[in-house]
């Protein structure tokens, strides 16, 4: 696991500055504290920050080249089938000088070109310079575990694992992108290919980017397919799934450094720990996080699993991040990021890194097996719309005549939300269900000048994902949309930044693409049957995990921000959000944010998620936009990130 960065000038006669490449690299020191490498050849330069996991020798450092020095790579991630790849490539005449997975990518690219991507099993973001064709080739893994950002103008192309590395170049403009900000306020994150900075873009998951003769071309090389379906009953599907999970875990245990697991006490992380315990000769190191608020605390279930598998278990209590964690999160996440579970994720990663360098987790279980309650509700709505459309639209129209401050009171707020959702198409209804704010919310919040800078409805991103899916069943289509947006741009961003802030590598067996392809083609009723979520996964684990874990209600991995804004964060939120600096941004109508704070603190309604977004947005502005001429140019030892 590492940090990568680089520069390409389109003019072959222009030389890359070694200092510029080093500056970019040093902003990523947290991603790779074990070494730094820089390589430059005239108009192209690449850098690498190393977190040594496999083949710890200095010879395995990067950037790395092929036998004759014509192909160079800087790579972030892990390739779990590199040993099989190596055997195939050696049989084809390629020579290896290290035992690293990096070298397997170089030779696979030499042998297969772009098609090398279809042969890689793992998580990755990399850049390859091919001097034979003067081509820069970048790629990102299938589900987006590893990040890759880029910036291009008339003269050059910059890329990096994190945006702050790109912004370390002195003449890159640092300006907020209104479209990216709109997406953030709607969804709680900025989806690819957008970013919160003008001119900076994300390479989407499962995409490659190629630059040759100054021409930039991108393409998609993989998409999860839900057709055709496998003809398997529940028993046979569960049996096959059990060994596929075990295999996905086993290949992720390859490491030359200590390894452990996050254990929330939910089904997904517990399944990973169970497989690890069966494959390891030593006790598994497990780590759990909890809160003082009991409704958010899952440690009891985590202990149950830890005791069953005799793990070496460590726990942590997380408290409100008033002045400590929040500014650090803003720095490490680069963009405004509204998923409050980043707080416990950051805290548990910090604890875990004191004991191990690699950690396995249960990410992807819900998106594979339909684990969220919203899947149940939306499937019923999709199949059970017995109320005529005209009547549904009429109910919503009638509710809209009720003054908004009354409409937001409980329980009328829930009725209004359901009525609004039922008036929409199924695809838009699902997008609305998981969004942080509706179009009406944002229209009431945004100042006219800001609203005129925007382009379209951010929720249409979800609707488009439904259109692109080959799924014939509503459950599968919903899972597909979540894999391509919510998983890629929220959950995986959260885990990558939280772990890499502490130089900790996270591996996700449920995001193994071979496993995901198998699960996608299972009949949908094996995933969601009535109100039973994760049906086939539970069946595969019956007798392996305690029934109390398998049959417990889903809690979700969240943080008690509702209470925090009424107590621990109350003073900070008022000071930051109602400051003259925040009001001068020009985003929001006068008095709109004051109203949200007042109604939330008086418990008239719950605006916690939106207030969290607004607080993060303002702190991000102060860290990256207001001080862009200072701390970003000082490279890594920033007051925020240090």
């Amino acid at each position: 696991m590492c940090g990568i960065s680089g520069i390409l000038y389109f003019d072959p006669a222009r030389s890359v500055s070694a200092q510029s490449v080093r500056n970019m690299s040093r902003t990523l020191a947290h991603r790779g504290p074990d070494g730094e490498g820089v390589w430059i050849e005239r108009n192209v330069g690449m850098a690498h920050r190393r977190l040594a996991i496999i083949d710890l020798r200095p010879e395995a450092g990067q950037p790395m080249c092929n036998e004759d020095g014509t192909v160079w790579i800087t790579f972030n991630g892990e390739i779990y089938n590199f040993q099989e790849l190596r055997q195939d490539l050696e049989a084809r005449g390629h020579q290896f000088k290290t035992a690293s997975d990096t070298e397997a990518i170089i030779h696979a690219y030499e042998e297969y070109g772009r098609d090398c991507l279809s042969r890689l099993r793992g998580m990755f973001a990399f850049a390859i310079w091919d001097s034979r064709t003067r081509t820069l080739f970048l790629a990102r893994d299938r589900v987006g575990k590893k990040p890759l950002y880029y910036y291009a103008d008339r003269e050059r192309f910059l890329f990096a694992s994190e945006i702050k590395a790109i912004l370390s170049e002195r003449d890159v403009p640092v300006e907020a992108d209104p479209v990216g900000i709109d997406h953030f306020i709607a969804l709680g994150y900025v989806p690819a290919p957008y970013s919160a900075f003008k001119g900076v873009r994300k390479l989407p998951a499962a995409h490659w980017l190629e630059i040759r003769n100054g021409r930039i071309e991108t393409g998609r090389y993989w998409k999860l397919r839900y057709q055709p379906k496998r003809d398997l009953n529940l028993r046979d599907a569960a049996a096959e799934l059990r060994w596929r999970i075990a295999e996905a875990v086993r290949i992720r245990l390859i490491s030359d450094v200590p390894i452990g697991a996050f254990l929330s006490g939910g089904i997904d992380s517990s399944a990973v720990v169970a497989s690890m315990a069966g494959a390891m000769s030593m006790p598994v190191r497990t780590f759990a996080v909890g809160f003082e608020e009991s409704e958010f605390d899952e440690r009891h279930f985590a202990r149950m699993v830890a005791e069953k598998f005799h793990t070496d278990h460590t726990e942590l209590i997380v408290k409100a991040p008033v002045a400590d964690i929040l500014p650090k999160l803003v720095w490490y996440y680069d963009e405004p990021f509204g998923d409050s579970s980043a707080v416990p994720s950051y805290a548990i990663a910090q604890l875990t890194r004191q004991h191990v360098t690699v950690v396995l987790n249960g990410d992807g279980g819900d998106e594979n097996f339909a684990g969220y309650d919203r899947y149940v509700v939306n499937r019923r709505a999709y199949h059970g719309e017995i109320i005529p459309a005209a009547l549904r639209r009429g109910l919503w129209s009638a509710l809209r005549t009720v003054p908004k401050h009354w409409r937001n009171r409980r329980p009328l707020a829930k009725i209004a939300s359901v009525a609004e959702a039922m008036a929409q198409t199924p695809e838009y209804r699902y997008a609305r269900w998981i969004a942080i704010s509706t179009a009406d919310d944002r229209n009431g919040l945004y100042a006219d000048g800001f609203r005129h800078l925007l382009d379209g409805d951010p929720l249409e991103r979800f609707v488009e994902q439904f259109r692109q899916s080959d799924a014939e069943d509503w459950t599968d289509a919903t899972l597909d949309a979540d894999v391509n947006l919510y998983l890629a741009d929220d959950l995986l961003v959260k885990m990558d930044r939280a772990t890499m802030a502490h130089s900790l590598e996270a591996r996700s067996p449920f995001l193994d693409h071979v496993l995901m392809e198998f699960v996608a083609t299972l009949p949908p009723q094996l995933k969601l049957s009535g109100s039973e979520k994760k049906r086939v996964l539970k069946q595969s684990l019956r007798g392996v995990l305690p029934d109390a874990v398998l049959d417990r209600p889903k809690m979700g991995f969240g943080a008690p921000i509702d209470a925090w804004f009424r107590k621990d964060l109350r003073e900070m939120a008022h000071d930051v959000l109602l400051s003259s600096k925040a009001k001068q941004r020009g985003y929001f109508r006068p008095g709109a944010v004051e109203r949200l704070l007042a109604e939330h603190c008086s418990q008239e309604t719950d605006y916690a998620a939106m207030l969290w977004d607004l607080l993060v947005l303002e702190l991000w502005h102060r860290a990256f936009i207001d001080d862009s001429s200072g701390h970003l140019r000082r490279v890594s030892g920033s007051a925020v990130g240090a």
Side-chain angles (χ1 to χ4, degrees):
M1 197 65 60
C2 309
I4 66 174
S5 55
I7 302 173
L8 170 69
Y9 283 114
F10 300 130
D11 180 358
R14 185 170 178 182
S15 297
V16 168
S17 161
Q19 189 59 52
S20 290
V21 178
R22 289 193 183 95
N23 286 347
M24 293 180 72
S25 180
R26 288 170 186 170
T27 65
L28 305 175
H30 54 283
R31 298 186 72 94
D34 297 331
E36 179 184 47
V38 172
W39 170 82
I40 294 174
E41 182 182 275
R42 291 187 316 195
N43 64 315
V44 62
M46 301 194 301
H48 184 265
R49 294 295 315 197
R50 187 183 188 198
L51 176 60
I53 303 293
I54 296 173
D55 192 349
L56 308 184
R57 298 174 302 160
E59 304 93 280
Q62 300 180 48
M64 184 182 290
C65 65
N66 63 347
E67 302 97 324
D68 61 6
T70 57
V71 179
W72 286 81
I73 187 173
T74 182
F75 158 60
N76 171 26
E78 299 288 351
I79 305 301
Y80 303 117
N81 66 331
F82 77 95
Q83 293 168 332
E84 296 94 317
L85 276 174
R86 176 175 180 144
Q87 292 174 2
D88 170 68
L89 292 163
E90 285 179 329
R92 294 172 181 270
H94 294 270
Q95 298 177 8
F96 287 72
K97 59 181 180 290
T98 74
S100 71
D101 53 346
T102 307
E103 200 171 3
I105 303 175
I106 300 174
H107 295 302
Y109 174 80
E110 284 186 288
E111 186 70 27
Y112 303 111
R114 288 179 190 166
D115 290 341
C116 71
L117 298 172
S118 66
R119 300 171 186 269
L120 303 180
R121 186 176 184 180
M123 53 183 180
F124 54 85
F126 63 76
I128 289 177
W129 173 250
D130 187 344
S131 63
R132 302 167 302 181
T133 59
R134 310 297 296 174
T135 299
L136 183 65
F137 180 71
L138 290 80
R140 193 168 172 219
D141 67 68
R142 293 169 178 81
V143 293
K145 280 282 295 175
K146 295 293 99 190
L148 194 53
Y149 297 88
Y150 64 92
Y151 167 88
D153 56 27
R154 291 184 175 183
E155 298 181 342
R156 66 194 163 170
F157 178 90
L158 311 176
F159 67 88
S161 297
E162 296 181 13
I163 297 174
K164 61 177 66 68
I166 293 173
L167 302 183
S168 70
E169 270 289 90
R170 293 184 178 276
D171 54 349
V172 171
V174 183
E175 186 177 352
D177 187 335
V179 175
I181 301 303
D182 184 38
H183 279 78
F184 166 70
I185 293 175
L187 300 172
Y189 55 90
V190 184
Y194 304 109
S195 87
F197 296 90
K198 280 189 177 179
V200 177
R201 288 293 179 261
K202 301 181 182 79
L203 184 65
H207 278 67
W208 53 264
L209 182 151
E210 188 175 87
I211 305 176
R212 185 180 298 184
N213 299 323
R215 182 172 177 267
I216 300 176
E217 182 182 0
T218 62
R220 182 166 194 159
Y221 66 90
W222 181 86
K223 193 177 190 313
L224 202 55
R225 301 297 176 188
Y226 292 81
Q227 300 295 331
K229 290 298 184 187
R230 296 172 186 263
D231 185 16
L232 290 175
N233 59 34
L234 178 62
R235 184 186 63 182
D236 292 342
E240 183 170 349
L241 177 61
R242 190 180 302 114
W243 74 256
R244 285 183 178 273
I245 293 173
E247 185 215 20
V249 169
R250 177 182 55 78
I251 64 176
R252 283 164 177 77
L253 296 179
I254 300 173
S255 174
D256 293 329
V257 294
I259 193 166
F262 289 153
L263 178 58
S264 70
I267 295 173
D268 306 328
S269 64
S270 299
V272 170
V273 169
S275 290
M276 291 177 71
M280 296 173 64
S281 58
M282 299 291 290
V284 181
R285 291 297 309 265
T286 55
F287 304 89
V289 63
F291 295 93
E292 294 173 326
E293 294 82 358
S294 59
E295 64 270 27
F296 289 86
D297 195 359
E298 299 181 274
R299 286 176 299 150
H300 167 70
F301 294 102
R303 289 182 205 132
M304 191 181 300
V305 175
E307 290 170 4
K308 179 174 177 60
F309 296 103
H310 307 288
T311 74
D312 184 354
H313 190 60
T314 304
E315 295 182 350
L316 172 71
I317 288 288
V318 174
K319 298 183 179 181
V322 178
D324 182 24
I325 292 182
L326 256 179
K328 292 179 179 178
L329 288 178
V330 169
W331 168 253
Y332 285 117
Y333 279 78
D334 280 343
E335 300 180 275
F337 185 75
D339 189 335
S340 60
S341 64
V343 174
S345 297
Y346 179 92
I348 195 63
Q350 185 176 43
L351 170 69
T352 301
R353 185 60 176 91
Q354 298 171 23
H355 303 276
V356 300
T357 310
V358 176
V359 64
L360 272 63
N361 62 39
D363 284 356
D366 290 315
E367 292 76 19
N368 275 312
F369 299 101
Y372 299 124
D373 291 336
R374 64 177 183 256
Y375 296 143
V376 177
V377 175
N378 278 275
R379 183 174 180 85
R380 287 175 175 170
Y382 181 78
H383 289 287
E385 292 177 330
I386 58 175
I387 303 175
L391 184 57
R392 286 188 274 115
R393 288 192 294 269
L395 174 61
W396 173 233
S397 296
L399 278 166
R400 292 188 69 171
T401 65
V402 177
K404 190 169 179 64
H405 69 279
W406 281 101
R407 213 163 65 228
N408 283 330
R409 291 178 181 267
R410 298 185 180 104
L412 191 59
K414 188 62 178 177
I415 298 173
S417 177
V418 171
E420 178 188 11
M422 293 298 289
Q424 308 295 337
T425 65
E427 296 81 6
Y428 194 88
R429 178 169 63 231
Y430 183 73
R432 167 63 189 91
W433 188 273
I434 65 173
I436 301 299
S437 62
T438 67
D440 274 359
D441 290 331
R442 296 192 299 281
N443 283 335
L445 181 65
Y446 290 165
D448 290 341
F450 178 66
R451 191 169 60 250
H452 292 156
L453 299 174
L454 307 181
D455 181 23
D457 185 347
L459 301 194
E460 287 295 328
R461 296 278 300 159
F462 264 97
V463 175
E464 182 61 28
Q465 292 301 324
F466 280 98
R467 296 192 188 109
Q468 294 174 2
S469 178
D470 74 333
E472 296 178 356
D473 179 88
W474 176 250
T475 295
D476 283 341
T478 308
L479 295 174
D480 198 19
D482 272 347
V483 165
N484 283 281
L485 274 175
Y486 178 62
L487 178 70
D489 294 321
D490 183 328
L491 300 185
L492 297 185
V493 172
K494 175 189 69 178
M495 186 56 63
D496 176 80
R497 303 309 188 279
T499 53
M500 292 312 297
H502 305 290
S503 308
L504 177 69
E505 173 171 300
R507 299 177 178 178
S508 307
F510 282 112
L511 296 179
D512 182 276
H513 81 274
V514 177
L515 173 61
M516 294 180 74
E517 288 171 348
F518 167 74
V519 176
T521 56
L522 291 177
Q525 64 270 22
L526 297 187
K527 305 165 197 174
L528 179 62
S529 179
S531 60
E532 184 183 6
K533 306 180 292 293
K534 298 185 176 179
R535 185 184 178 202
V536 67
L537 179 60
K538 291 178 181 178
Q539 181 66 26
S540 74
L541 297 169
R542 190 69 67 181
V544 177
L545 296 180
D547 288 347
V549 171
L550 291 174
D551 299 326
R552 56 172 290 205
K554 182 174 178 60
M555 182 177 293
F557 189 58
I561 56 174
D562 184 350
W564 286 354
F565 272 112
R566 295 191 178 104
K567 186 180 177 183
D568 303 87
L569 284 177
R570 181 169 183 159
E571 182 177 353
M572 180 184 186
H574 280 78
D575 288 347
V576 171
L577 294 178
L578 304 185
S579 66
S580 58
K581 184 178 292 187
K583 292 178 180 179
Q584 291 168 5
R585 305 278 179 214
Y587 290 152
F588 309 125
R589 294 178 182 273
V593 178
E594 290 94 325
R595 178 183 58 79
L596 294 179
L597 276 167
E599 292 185 11
H600 181 85
C601 291
S602 66
Q603 301 190 40
E604 290 185 51
T605 191
D606 182 359
Y607 283 123
M610 186 176 291
L611 289 171
W612 182 267
D613 280 5
L614 298 182
L615 180 59
V616 168
L617 177 64
E618 177 57 25
L619 293 174
W620 171 79
H621 262 279
R622 296 183 182 189
F624 284 91
I625 306 299
D626 296 349
D627 194 26
S628 63
S629 62
H631 83 286
L632 283 172
R633 311 311 188 193
R634 292 194 297 269
V635 198
S636 65
S638 142
V640 177

